[in-house]
Amino acid sequence: MKQLSILSSAVAAALFSQSTMAAVITGQVLDKNQQPISNAEIHVHGKSQSVVTDTQGQFKIDVDNKGQLHISKDNYIDKRVAINGENQNLVVTLTPTSVETVVVYASALHKNSLEMISPVNVLAGDELKDKAKPTLGETLKGLPGVNASYFGPVSSSPIIRGLDGPRVKITQNGLDSSDASRIGPDHATSNDSLAAEQIEVLRGPATLLYGSGAIGGVVNVVDNRIPTDNIDTLTGAAQYTHDTVSNTNTYAAKLETGNDGFNFHFDGTKRKGHDYKTPTFELPEEHDEHEGEDHEEKETANSVENTFIDSQNVNFGTSYVGEHLTLGVSYGRIETDYGIPAHEHHHHEEEAADHDEEEREESVFAQLEQDRWQGYMSYALHNNWIENISLRVGYTDYKHAEIEDGAVGTVFSNKTTEARATVEHKLGLWHGMAGYHYTESDYDADGEEAFTPASVTKSNALFMLEERQFGDVTVELGARLEDYQIDSAVSMAEHHHDHEAEEEDHDEEEAEIINYSEDFTNLSLSAGAIWQYQEGQSVALSVSRSERAPLSAELLSNGVHIATGTYELGLGYHIEDGEIHFEPEDIKQETSTNFDLSFRRFIGDFGYTVNFFYNDIENYYYQQNTGLAFDEDNGLTSQADADEDAMAVYQFTSKDAKLYGIEFDVHYQVTPSALVKVFGDSTTAKLKDDEGYLPRIPANKLGSELQYTVADWQFSLTGTHYFEQSDITAYETKTDGYTLFDASANYQLDLGPVDTQLYINVDNLTDELGLVHSSFIKEKAPLPGRNFSLGIRGYF
């Protein structure tokens, strides 16, 4: 409690040392040609105060202390100006930028996308609406360095630089999304892109603020369900889209209003679609060879069964925004039914020896429900060194049941409580943030596919992030100390599978229960700098070291995972003489040392971002094919001797690994109406000591995009080539390359007070067959075929 005492003393000192200084800052914002810029936002750093410039570019804002003004405007480079707490008159000149600048909420220190040391992408506005898909993975997979796990289009999670699952933190307004997507690739994320204001993708380690698991990056979905700015009028938006490839209809709406500091928010989305169509592809053989028979014809398909979606979600929020205090609360409800492709159960009735040519397969779908409450408090102090105290809290009650022939099969649930308290401060010439982060996750699974036992995971962490400017160089230092504890009751009855039938009395023995508890201390450190060596040009370098403890799925899994067609074992198990033993000794933390080097130009007609990265990971957790197979009758056998219904046994293991690569995004404004982009990425991921490549690493990609605007029309054409992936493990097959072309057209309608757009997007214009190498079911679920999305959206 020593840290809490120090923090309490600091807060008390701040509250009782308020300054009585008051001043009025006036000024004008101009462009390079000394013309006024209207509607530029002037914000007092660390406080809720903000104003916008009038038609003459002029503004006036009251301040009560020395600090910093943040001036921003779309298509211009942000500028920060120091103020001394006295009356001042400023003239601020903004420089045009070739890329959009957006404040990155996940940065914690109010940085925009061009000021970040770590590489970041932000999807917002119409670009986000055009690219929004039912899942985060499909929405973001076109970004450099980002791909998707792809378990069909309704269950697809982001992969960042070859890392996914628990290594990519998915947050909503800075708090964990708290679903079950990290337990298996067939479990969908619970975030909806259509309800988002913007989606931020932070590459590289973001463990300092968001937890030890985020060694790959963070995807932060930002919405306005708790308004943090005053809303003075009724505003809203509505959208309708129809997708032809799956006959999907999507409806979305948002309303916001406010009065006298009190603000209200509502948004909702409804989506209903059917199985999606594909180009004709060959279905994989299901080990059904008959003696003496040749397979003259392979079975083909032009759709993927069991990929429907029926989803609806609503979000309500309210807040009070005063001069110093902001208070808010929100509630969100998600109800989604979605099919799980290739998730099938086979009848193995002894009598069915004649093996009908078509084996009965039962479709399975997931029924997902989530209730999510969030609270927010922020207090801006009139103080020389403490700028802001904030608290975010959240509680999520998540459940998804897998329905088999109308009956509930396996039920996964996760109840999560989270709190993050931060103090933003200035200490001399350093500006930063210190905080405390608490999470508790109560996970349970009950049913045939409960391959991971129930567990309770708790973490308590202290973190600090500090920055200081040295001329044109900004230096950033950070540290996080985290206590991570996992508790579970492990049933030993599930861990011994005999090869031969046992006596009846053996079955009647009570299962031995082991109360397993383990505690880890994770330390993460980072250092970085960005050098603005010329206006609009910079180079950034960062180094970080992050520790991560295993999730319950990586540590304690022991059972059949039917969706992936495997039997999964965690790090805590050992196989000896055909039997599985629980021996969780000497579990070492995964330790990542990451280097990032970025070059950026964002001024004038030509701009680029080029990122080089190298990630050295000790004790990398990954699933390795053991060469064994499991079935209920014979237990563990070699895969060569296994029956056709047996499942390959994959076990989590830890070995040293390295991942390195490049990602880039280059653009050129050819004319005021035409913009050309070239983008791509390459990731190499292999075990050290020449032990081979890591499994399911996404293929490299290279793409180009042309954007053209004429009158009220906006057009774009994008081509992306995914290269062949032949860097594979012994139990993988290579994946052929393919090229996807996408096109879109938007038309701006003039309907008075309603800003309206008609749009048509064409995905996979040439109806190309594409298999996703990172998918567990790549041969059963190729990418969708040609899809026309037609829709209308309006804002008022």
Side-chain angles (χ1 to χ4, degrees):
M1 293 291 97
K2 182 179 179 181
Q3 295 90 344
L4 183 59
S5 176
I6 294 173
L7 182 61
S8 301
S9 300
V11 172
L15 291 173
F16 289 103
S17 61
Q18 294 185 3
S19 170
T20 58
M21 299 173 66
V24 177
I25 307 297
T26 59
Q28 187 177 29
V29 180
L30 305 173
D31 63 16
K32 282 287 190 179
N33 298 319
Q34 300 302 298
Q35 296 300 307
I37 298 177
S38 61
N39 293 316
E41 183 177 10
I42 293 84
H43 179 256
V44 180
H45 182 65
K47 298 178 172 62
S48 60
Q49 300 155 272
S50 65
V51 297
V52 296
T53 56
D54 60 20
T55 56
Q56 299 302 311
Q58 296 178 342
F59 68 90
K60 181 174 75 172
I61 188 168
D62 297 329
V63 299
D64 47 40
N65 201 359
K66 63 181 181 181
Q68 190 181 77
L69 292 185
H70 181 195
I71 299 96
S72 60
K73 171 70 175 178
D74 290 346
N75 302 316
Y76 289 89
I77 300 174
D78 290 15
K79 182 159 287 188
R80 299 178 186 272
V81 179
I83 52 177
N84 57 22
E86 300 176 356
N87 293 343
Q88 287 179 260
N89 186 59
L90 305 173
V91 176
V92 181
T93 302
L94 297 184
T95 302
T97 177
S98 55
V99 297
E100 185 178 4
T101 60
V102 182
V103 173
V104 182
Y105 292 91
S107 70
L109 294 179
H110 317 287
K111 291 179 177 291
N112 66 49
S113 51
L114 304 181
E115 298 171 322
M116 294 284 292
I117 293 176
S118 299
V120 63
N121 274 100
V122 180
L123 281 181
D126 289 339
E127 182 185 15
L128 172 57
K129 296 296 185 285
D130 289 339
K131 294 183 177 180
K133 305 292 184 186
T135 64
L136 283 179
E138 295 306 289
T139 299
L140 301 173
K141 69 178 184 180
L143 298 176
V146 184
N147 289 276
S149 60
Y150 200 75
F151 212 91
V154 295
S155 181
S156 183
S157 298
I159 299 174
I160 300 179
R161 295 177 170 179
L163 300 175
D164 64 348
R167 299 180 184 90
V168 174
K169 193 81 165 181
I170 299 176
T171 63
Q172 184 174 344
N173 301 318
L175 297 179
D176 197 300
S177 60
S178 304
D179 49 39
S181 60
R182 278 160 282 188
I183 302 299
D186 56 318
H187 299 169
T189 61
S190 59
N191 307 89
D192 194 289
S193 303
L194 281 178
E197 300 284 325
Q198 64 187 51
I199 300 178
E200 305 163 349
V201 181
L202 281 69
R203 299 176 187 79
T207 59
L208 299 177
L209 297 176
Y210 297 100
S212 60
I215 70 171
V218 167
V219 176
N220 186 39
V221 180
V222 181
D223 55 45
N224 199 40
R225 65 179 63 177
I226 300 180
T228 54
D229 289 317
N230 279 319
I231 304 170
D232 298 323
T233 60
L234 176 66
T235 63
Q239 178 174 336
Y240 166 75
T241 305
H242 176 77
D243 292 333
T244 60
V245 76
S246 57
N247 195 26
T248 297
N249 293 302
T250 304
Y251 310 84
K254 180 178 76 171
L255 287 173
E256 293 183 334
T257 188
N259 181 53
D260 198 23
F262 291 93
N263 309 284
F264 304 92
H265 170 96
F266 162 80
D267 70 74
T269 304
K270 167 70 177 176
R271 179 185 286 112
K272 188 169 185 178
H274 305 278
D275 295 349
Y276 72 90
K277 302 172 187 174
T278 69
T280 300
F281 67 100
E282 293 182 350
L283 292 168
E285 296 179 6
E286 296 291 346
H287 304 289
D288 56 350
E289 299 119 3
H290 301 289
E291 294 183 23
E293 284 189 18
D294 293 327
H295 288 77
E296 297 181 0
E297 281 189 27
K298 291 188 176 181
E299 188 178 356
T300 62
N302 54 17
S303 67
V304 178
E305 295 182 1
N306 207 30
T307 54
F308 72 90
I309 186 170
D310 187 355
S311 174
Q312 46 272 326
N313 66 72
V314 293
N315 300 295
F316 301 91
T318 184
S319 68
Y320 170 77
V321 179
E323 182 181 358
H324 305 288
L325 178 66
T326 300
L327 281 174
V329 65
S330 70
Y331 167 75
R333 171 74 176 177
I334 300 172
E335 295 180 358
T336 300
D337 293 353
Y338 66 92
I340 306 176
H343 194 313
E344 51 208 30
H345 297 279
H346 300 293
H347 288 296
H348 7 251
E349 297 164 292
E350 258 61 33
E351 305 300 314
D354 54 341
H355 237 11
D356 294 344
E357 54 187 303
E358 61 174 345
E359 194 176 31
R360 171 69 175 162
E361 296 177 353
E362 300 173 352
S363 295
V364 177
F365 70 93
Q367 194 173 74
L368 184 156
E369 297 177 358
Q370 178 178 282
D371 294 296
R372 184 177 179 89
W373 291 264
Q374 285 188 328
Y376 176 68
M377 185 279 292
S378 174
Y379 189 81
L381 286 86
H382 296 213
N383 186 270
N384 289 325
W385 62 282
I386 289 187
E387 297 180 331
N388 185 277
I389 299 173
S390 68
L391 173 66
R392 288 190 180 273
V393 295
Y395 176 77
T396 303
D397 187 351
Y398 169 93
K399 179 178 72 173
H400 100 242
E402 294 187 351
I403 311 301
E404 307 172 27
D405 278 354
V408 175
T410 306
V411 177
F412 298 88
S413 64
N414 190 22
K415 296 180 180 180
T416 303
T417 303
E418 185 173 9
R420 184 197 306 275
T422 59
V423 178
E424 189 176 351
H425 58 261
K426 284 187 176 179
L427 300 174
L429 298 177
W430 290 87
H431 171 234
M433 175 176 288
Y436 166 74
H437 186 196
Y438 168 81
T439 60
E440 178 179 343
S441 176
D442 187 350
Y443 166 80
D444 194 12
D446 183 26
E448 180 182 354
E449 202 180 331
F451 56 93
T452 301
S455 62
V456 176
T457 305
K458 295 180 182 179
S459 69
N460 292 273
L462 295 173
F463 60 87
M464 179 170 284
L465 190 63
E466 303 292 330
E467 67 172 8
R468 179 179 172 181
Q469 284 189 294
F470 296 87
D472 294 329
V473 178
T474 301
V475 174
E476 187 177 278
L477 304 174
R480 180 186 179 99
L481 183 63
E482 178 181 272
D483 177 72
Y484 180 94
Q485 181 178 340
I486 182 168
D487 295 282
S488 180
V490 180
S491 172
M492 294 303 293
E494 300 176 2
H495 309 320
H496 298 278
H497 303 282
D498 300 328
H499 289 251
E500 300 177 6
E502 300 286 344
E503 294 86 359
E504 291 293 327
D505 60 337
H506 175 79
D507 295 331
E508 295 174 0
E509 291 180 4
E510 287 191 11
E512 180 185 358
I513 302 296
I514 296 178
N515 291 319
Y516 174 76
S517 179
E518 189 59 68
D519 198 289
F520 300 88
T521 300
N522 301 313
L523 176 64
S524 299
L525 303 168
S526 73
I530 183 168
W531 177 28
Q532 306 281 353
Y533 61 90
Q534 288 186 15
E535 185 178 29
Q537 299 185 64
S538 66
V539 58
L541 174 66
S542 63
V543 181
S544 63
R545 180 187 183 278
S546 308
E547 292 181 338
R548 182 176 83 87
L551 294 184
S552 61
E554 296 170 310
L555 183 60
L556 304 174
S557 290
N558 181 14
V560 172
H561 192 177
I562 299 172
T564 59
T566 60
Y567 189 99
E568 296 191 4
L569 276 179
L571 290 161
Y573 296 93
H574 176 67
I575 300 174
E576 183 177 357
D577 297 330
E579 291 188 350
I580 300 169
H581 303 276
F582 185 57
E583 299 176 359
E585 287 88 19
D586 195 27
I587 302 295
K588 296 180 179 179
Q589 290 144 292
E590 188 177 86
T591 304
S592 168
T593 303
N594 183 269
F595 300 87
D596 252 297
L597 178 63
S598 300
F599 298 90
R600 303 169 193 161
R601 175 190 169 94
F602 41 86
I603 191 171
D605 294 331
F606 175 68
Y608 56 79
T609 298
V610 182
N611 305 318
F612 299 91
F613 66 92
Y614 181 88
N615 202 349
D616 185 290
I617 306 179
E618 297 178 13
N619 304 313
Y620 180 85
Y621 308 144
Y622 73 102
Q623 285 181 301
Q624 184 180 50
N625 193 317
T626 63
L628 299 173
F630 170 84
D631 67 40
E632 295 178 358
D633 296 326
N634 301 315
L636 295 180
T637 60
S638 70
Q639 291 181 11
D641 299 331
D643 294 337
E644 62 183 45
D645 288 332
M647 294 187 174
V649 177
Y650 278 75
Q651 182 169 20
F652 280 96
T653 186
S654 62
K655 293 183 180 180
D656 295 346
K658 56 183 177 181
L659 297 89
Y660 55 88
I662 182 176
E663 55 205 19
F664 61 89
D665 186 346
V666 182
H667 59 270
Y668 178 59
Q669 191 77 44
V670 183
T671 69
S673 300
L675 175 70
V676 176
K677 289 185 178 182
V678 178
F679 58 90
D681 58 54
S682 173
T683 299
T684 300
K686 57 175 65 175
L687 297 169
K688 291 186 177 180
D689 301 325
D690 296 322
E691 291 194 46
Y693 293 95
L694 291 173
R696 290 180 300 280
I697 297 301
N700 300 333
K701 67 175 180 276
L702 177 65
S704 181
E705 180 179 1
L706 170 63
Q707 297 178 3
Y708 188 76
T709 302
V710 53
D712 294 324
W713 286 93
Q714 293 178 317
F715 301 94
S716 73
L717 176 64
T718 305
T720 307
H721 179 70
Y722 292 84
F723 291 86
E724 174 187 274
Q725 180 56 289
S726 56
D727 296 340
I728 56 178
T729 65
Y731 295 93
E732 284 186 292
T733 58
K734 75 180 183 71
T735 303
D736 293 335
Y738 54 92
T739 302
L740 300 179
F741 289 97
D742 305 320
S744 69
N746 289 3
Y747 179 70
Q748 193 78 27
L749 286 172
D750 184 8
L751 296 180
V754 181
D755 181 10
T756 307
Q757 287 183 351
L758 297 175
Y759 56 91
I760 177 171
N761 301 327
V762 188
D763 300 325
N764 195 0
L765 190 64
T766 58
D767 205 31
E768 178 88 350
L769 178 64
L771 305 184
V772 181
H773 184 76
S774 53
S775 172
F776 271 91
I777 55 171
K778 67 176 184 179
E779 295 178 339
K780 296 182 179 181
L783 290 171
R786 184 185 299 112
N787 177 43
F788 292 87
S789 296
L790 304 100
I792 182 171
R793 66 172 70 100
Y795 308 88
F796 62 89

